[in-house]
Amino acid sequence: MGETDRRSSRDVRRPEPPLPEESGLTLEEYLAIQQAIGHPTRFRILRALVANDELSATDLKAVVDADSPNFHYHLGELVDVGLAEKRQRRTADSQGFYTYYRPTGMGRGILEHGVEELMRREREFDDAYS
């Protein structure tokens, strides 16, 4: 690129702030959410939760087919960023509590309007041009 091709610094536009001032989350929190959903295991965990509404850790692990130590780490990451939540409940036939996980509203929204929307658009593009 030659000297005559360079833009003057006064011609370079600054992007608008990514979030409104009254945003419920910070930019760092949004980026942490994107990072969490960007891992294949966490993506599969969240999809399984959305498909089932609520699952025990045992059932969820069987559906996702992940290694034990990695599974709990990834599940914890989803809970930490607010894409999934856990709750404990006692079943009638048990002596203790069981932990169940479910997607949050944010988790459902990120999955439906984020990654899966991109995938739908790619399928539509592929169908239109093949």
Side-chain angles (χ1 to χ4, degrees):
M1 181 157 95
E3 285 295 318
T4 57
D5 295 339
R6 293 187 61 186
R7 283 187 173 188
S8 165
S9 60
R10 65 179 175 268
D11 294 335
V12 176
R13 295 183 304 268
R14 282 193 189 273
E16 292 292 319
L19 300 171
E21 284 185 34
E22 62 278 350
S23 175
L25 298 174
T26 66
L27 177 61
E28 290 75 17
E29 290 169 325
Y30 275 108
L31 295 175
I33 288 169
Q34 291 298 323
Q35 183 177 4
I37 193 71
H39 190 281
T41 299
R42 291 190 289 262
F43 177 73
R44 289 194 316 267
I45 290 171
L46 188 56
R47 285 191 78 222
L49 288 174
V50 168
N52 292 282
D53 291 323
E54 182 177 78
L55 289 171
S56 69
T58 303
D59 290 339
L60 184 55
K61 184 177 178 291
V63 168
V64 174
D65 191 31
D67 294 337
S68 244
N70 291 339
F71 170 76
H72 288 286
Y73 167 79
H74 292 302
L75 188 53
E77 289 289 307
L78 291 172
V79 170
D80 287 348
V81 299
L83 296 177
E85 61 187 9
K86 69 179 182 177
R87 69 183 185 92
Q88 292 185 323
R89 72 176 185 197
R90 184 186 305 264
T91 57
D93 60 342
S94 73
Q95 298 293 323
F97 289 95
Y98 287 91
T99 302
Y100 292 84
Y101 294 87
R102 60 183 169 204
T104 63
M106 176 76 78
R108 286 181 188 280
I110 286 288
L111 191 65
E112 181 179 329
H113 301 291
V115 177
E116 288 190 343
E117 176 63 21
L118 290 172
M119 291 175 178
R120 274 191 294 276
R121 289 182 183 195
E122 183 172 346
R123 280 192 296 276
E124 290 170 4
F125 180 79
D126 189 49
D127 290 346
Y129 294 99
S130 55

